[in-house]
């Protein structure tokens, strides 16, 4: 900020903050990673049968792509490109702010994510929740807690399920 003010005001001053470093903040607690064993349990035949179709498909898409639930629930049918050589969907701002600049992207679909996105394409997206990812995420976390598909302390957050494995 000091440097910007000096630049804007055309001031030539020694920056008194040059050698100042902030202490690294302690995290409130890290989320536990989802293990390959947990993923096998989630994907086991019938394991997700008691969750509604939209929530189940969202889990499969997040699990297989690393996307955040808030990115998946708002995908519109027109942003699903499933008949091209490499099927994908687009994550776009769509009237909301994305978490980071690199969050706007194309996400390749394979395996369970592709199957789930085909179902969502036929259904017109995720109409049940109207883009409200909080209520769907609460439902999924409650389901995982009741069924013990995830170990204690692990929360469903989408990208955590893929990025911290192995």
């Amino acid at each position: 900020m000091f440097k910007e003010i000096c630049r804007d005001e055309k001031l030539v001053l020694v920056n008194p903050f040059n050698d100042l470093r902030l202490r690294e903040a302690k995290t409130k607690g890290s989320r536990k990673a989802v293990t390959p064993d947990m993923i096998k349990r989630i994907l086991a035949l019938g394991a997700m049968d008691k969750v509604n179709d939209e929530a189940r498909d969202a889990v499969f898409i997040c699990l297989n792509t690393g996307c955040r639930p808030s990115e998946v629930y708002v995908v519109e049918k027109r942003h699903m490109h499933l008949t091209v050589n490499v099927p994908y969907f687009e994550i776009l701002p769509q009237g909301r702010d994305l978490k980071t600049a690199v969050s706007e992207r194309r996400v390749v679909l394979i395996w369970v994510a592709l199957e789930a996105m085909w179902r969502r394409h036929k259904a017109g997206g995720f109409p049940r929740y109207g883009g409200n990812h909080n209520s769907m995420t609460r439902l999924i976390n409650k389901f995982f807690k009741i069924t013990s598909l995830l170990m204690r302390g692990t929360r469903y957050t989408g990208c955590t399920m893929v990025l911290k494995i192995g």
Side-chain angles (χ1 to χ4, degrees), residues 113-139:
L114 180 57
E115 293 172 10
M117 195 60 84
W118 268 113
R119 288 190 293 270
R120 293 298 94 222
H121 186 269
K122 290 175 186 170
F126 294 87
R128 179 182 191 143
Y129 292 92
N132 183 352
H133 69 91
N134 291 326
S135 61
M136 189 183 289
T137 304
R138 277 192 302 273
L139 168 87

Side-chain angles (χ1 to χ4, degrees), residues 29-35 37-38 41-42 141-156 160:
S30 60
R31 293 180 179 145
K32 294 180 182 175
V34 175
T35 66
D37 184 54
M38 285 186 248
R41 289 197 315 254
I42 293 167
N141 279 324
K142 184 176 180 180
F143 173 77
F144 283 156
K145 185 176 182 179
I146 291 168
T147 60
S148 300
L149 285 173
L150 297 180
M151 66 184 176
R152 182 169 287 152
T154 305
R155 287 182 37 225
Y156 164 70
T160 307

Side-chain angles (χ1 to χ4, degrees), residues 72-143:
V72 171
Y73 304 146
V74 296
V75 173
E76 297 174 7
K77 188 173 181 176
R78 63 191 171 115
H79 298 128
M80 301 174 193
H81 306 278
L82 307 177
T83 58
V84 296
N85 286 340
V86 180
Y88 69 95
F89 68 97
E90 296 173 295
I91 296 175
L92 302 168
Q94 299 172 205
R96 65 188 178 92
D97 291 331
L98 296 176
K99 191 169 183 176
T100 63
V102 295
S103 292
E104 185 172 335
R105 63 196 186 279
R106 292 179 175 177
V107 180
V108 174
L109 293 162
I110 60 168
W111 194 37
V112 294
L114 180 57
E115 293 172 10
M117 195 60 84
W118 268 113
R119 288 190 293 270
R120 293 298 94 222
H121 186 269
K122 290 175 186 170
F126 294 87
R128 179 182 191 143
Y129 292 92
N132 183 352
H133 69 91
N134 291 326
S135 61
M136 189 183 289
T137 304
R138 277 192 302 273
L139 168 87
I140 293 166
N141 279 324
K142 184 176 180 180
F143 173 77

Side-chain angles (χ1 to χ4, degrees), residues 27-86:
T27 58
K28 291 182 179 179
S30 60
R31 293 180 179 145
K32 294 180 182 175
V34 175
T35 66
D37 184 54
M38 285 186 248
I39 292 173
K40 287 177 190 172
R41 289 197 315 254
I42 293 167
L43 295 178
L45 190 61
M48 298 286 295
D49 283 355
K50 292 186 179 178
V51 174
N52 69 65
D53 294 345
E54 286 184 39
R56 181 175 45 251
D57 286 343
V59 168
F60 291 159
I61 293 166
C62 290
L63 183 71
N64 201 206
T65 63
C67 291
R68 298 175 190 95
S70 61
E71 295 172 327
V72 171
Y73 304 146
V74 296
V75 173
E76 297 174 7
K77 188 173 181 176
R78 63 191 171 115
H79 298 128
M80 301 174 193
H81 306 278
L82 307 177
T83 58
V84 296
N85 286 340
V86 180

